Amino acid sequence: MATKTGEGFSSSFGAIMAAAGSAVGLGNIWRFPYICGKYGGGAFLLVYICFVFFIGMVLMMSEFVIGRRSGEDPVKAYPKLQPKRKGWRYVGIMGLITCFLILAIYLVISGWTLNYFWESLTGTLASISNDGFGKHFSEFASSAGRPVLFVILFLVFTAFVIIGGVEKGIERVSKLLMPILVVLLLILCVRSLTLDGASEGLAYLFHPDFSKLTGEGILAALGQALFSLSVGMGVMIVYGSYLPVDDNIMKSSIWITICDFAIAVLSGIAIFPAVFACGQDPTGGPGLVYQVLPVVFNSLGTVGRIFSVVFFLLLSLAALTSAISLLEALTQWLSSEKIGRTISAIVMSAAVVVLAVIASFSFGDGIFSGFKIANMQIFDLLDKLTGTILPPICALLTIIFFGWFMNKDDIYDELSNHKTLKIGYFKVFYYFLARFVAPLALIIVLVAGLFGK
Ligand code: PFF
């Protein structure tokens, strides 16, 4: 194992499951379908595929290389690989701050999801009339007690796994949950596709409408690609430091990327046909999952109730494996400062829950909703920062470090597992992408997104 603490994944399969667990989350099932619908369906999908495979995947490989080569947390990894330029540690620090902010907002949405799972199970959702779900969601999400309770509950599950350790906690839980997640999703896809009128939903998802693909949509595609693959904030550096020495980084990254992409598309297939078949509005935005899908489930009778439980369970499990990776990044850093793993996990959880509660209170008509920074409620500000601004900036700096400041021989040595693997032309192609294509694309999209309009 590469890390100083001796923690690490026991096998490549376990490592792939854990990293795929980090990648597959609310981003795939809650966010991807509604953004894809908003920015032109198939047109968005085309741009998204390019960003995922030519930028996101390249970043994932780069972060794995940085992590495994250094065997350090993101703050120490950069200066260890480039001792003459210690300033690079700030990229690691910025990544961890991004993780902290993402985790706060992630916990809020995961809390909603857990509540909806509970309400499906107990029959509360089934007792609401179809036009009452909008009100139900906004009243619930803006209230003070219940969302916070579910945030804390979700965080306790997450911290519990982290305290279990890398192999016995994260790896074990991911190996168990990921296959369950795929099976649940496939069941939902089959049901959705066999509903009358399902084809309209598929057309909505796959038919390219380039008129809706704006500059903002392209930036959203990039932000979504990075967010969905969990790259650009150092989490994959952390998991890279846990990779077994004989893991084939290129192969694993390709598998994780394919898995993440496939699950996003499958989520779209599970959601849109059902939404159309039940005559609901596909442009429901962030509320799609909480306001529109319950109507869909209710109109399917008893079967719908079962599907509602399955869906919200699926979403909660997906969110859990992603939240685990975010809390692990923060815990690894703190515990590398000679503080025990358990204490580190508890301290980080306590710190992040404060921000999560503030974010929750600032949502909708919550008690902090009047408090604004840069004319935005705290929840919206966090969403914007973590969705489209910080990850692309961190990603750009990471890829510049990798392509221009890291020793090329070190990179090849790490990718080829000390020359025991043949990586041939692929390494040339990959290095070219990492050095020129990815940074350039990131700069163009970032500048256009931040200063354009
Ligand atoms: N990739 C996760 C998702 O799609 O929901 C979210 C995420 C996890 C983002 C971990 C960033 C991260 F570091």
Side-chain angles (χ1 to χ4, degrees), residues 126-345:
S127 67
I128 296 173
S129 66
N130 281 355
D131 52 7
F133 284 109
K135 188 161 168 266
H136 177 73
F137 175 71
S138 52
E139 276 179 5
F140 156 70
S142 305
S143 66
R146 211 174 154 91
V148 171
L149 180 79
F150 280 95
V151 163
I152 293 175
L153 197 63
F154 189 86
L155 183 58
V156 168
F157 289 144
T158 311
F160 196 69
V161 177
I162 298 291
I163 291 170
V166 175
E167 187 186 337
K168 301 225 165 62
I170 303 175
E171 183 175 346
R172 197 152 52 155
V173 168
S174 308
K175 280 203 284 201
L176 175 76
L177 294 189
M178 288 310 287
I180 297 180
L181 198 133
V182 172
V183 173
L184 293 182
L185 188 57
L186 288 176
I187 296 175
L188 287 173
C189 283
V190 171
R191 175 66 267 203
S192 184
L193 285 173
T194 47
L195 290 170
D196 278 347
S199 56
E200 235 183 300
L202 284 185
Y204 182 80
L205 183 61
F206 293 117
H207 178 76
D209 180 354
F210 284 98
S211 68
K212 284 203 213 141
L213 188 66
T214 53
E216 190 187 300
I218 295 176
L219 182 66
L222 176 68
Q224 174 63 15
L226 301 178
F227 184 85
S228 188
L229 287 175
S230 308
V231 293
M233 27 251 146
V235 162
M236 291 301 172
I237 296 183
V238 175
Y239 277 15
S241 74
Y242 299 150
L243 283 180
V245 278
D246 59 352
D247 181 64
N248 183 338
I249 286 183
M250 289 192 168
K251 225 173 162 176
S252 297
S253 308
I254 293 172
W255 275 117
I256 297 161
T257 307
I258 291 176
C259 174
D260 185 65
F261 179 73
I263 291 193
V265 175
L266 284 176
S267 307
I269 296 178
I271 292 175
F272 284 117
V275 167
F276 273 87
C278 299
Q280 291 300 306
D281 178 12
T283 58
L288 188 68
V289 157
Y290 306 100
Q291 297 172 28
V292 178
L293 281 189
V295 180
V296 173
F297 294 135
N298 267 7
S299 48
L300 299 175
T302 319
V303 183
R305 195 162 152 197
I306 298 171
F307 280 102
S308 176
V309 174
V310 171
F311 179 80
F312 288 110
L313 175 67
L314 166 80
L315 200 55
S316 304
L317 297 181
L320 181 65
T321 48
S322 299
I324 287 171
S325 68
L326 288 161
L327 186 59
E328 174 61 21
L330 300 168
T331 303
Q332 187 208 38
W333 167 74
L334 195 60
S335 58
S336 73
E337 302 294 320
K338 314 235 165 2
I339 299 172
R341 185 173 185 82
T342 306
I343 305 273
S344 301

Side-chain angles (χ1 to χ4, degrees), residues 58 127 336 382 396 436 445:
V58 173
S127 67
S336 73
L382 282 179
L396 175 63
F436 301 104
V445 180

Side-chain angles (χ1 to χ4, degrees), residues 8-20:
F9 298 125
S10 68
S11 65
S12 283
F13 177 71
I16 291 177
M17 286 297 109

Side-chain angles (χ1 to χ4, degrees), residues 60-124:
M60 185 180 290
M61 289 183 199
S62 310
E63 289 196 21
F64 279 160
V65 167
I66 294 173
R68 191 169 70 177
R69 190 77 185 174
S70 66
E72 293 283 1
D73 63 82
V75 179
K76 297 191 197 70
Y78 292 94
K80 178 152 178 193
L81 297 175
Q82 188 46 269
K84 285 200 209 103
R85 296 176 201 265
K86 297 234 180 298
W88 279 100
R89 64 199 283 272
Y90 290 106
V91 178
I93 295 175
M94 191 166 155
L96 287 182
I97 293 173
T98 309
C99 284
F100 188 85
L101 300 179
I102 294 183
L103 184 56
I105 194 160
Y106 214 80
L107 286 173
V108 177
I109 302 166
S110 304
W112 296 346
T113 310
L114 205 55
N115 171 68
Y116 269 64
F117 168 62
W118 180 248
E119 290 188 340
S120 307
L121 206 62
T122 53
T124 311

Side-chain angles (χ1 to χ4, degrees), residues 407-425:
N407 184 317
K408 195 171 165 182
D409 294 334
D410 282 355
I411 295 176
Y412 288 164
D413 191 53
E414 203 56 45
L415 284 176
S416 66
N417 289 352
H418 312 293
K419 309 204 173 52
T420 56
L421 295 173
K422 282 212 172 66
I423 50 174
Y425 289 119

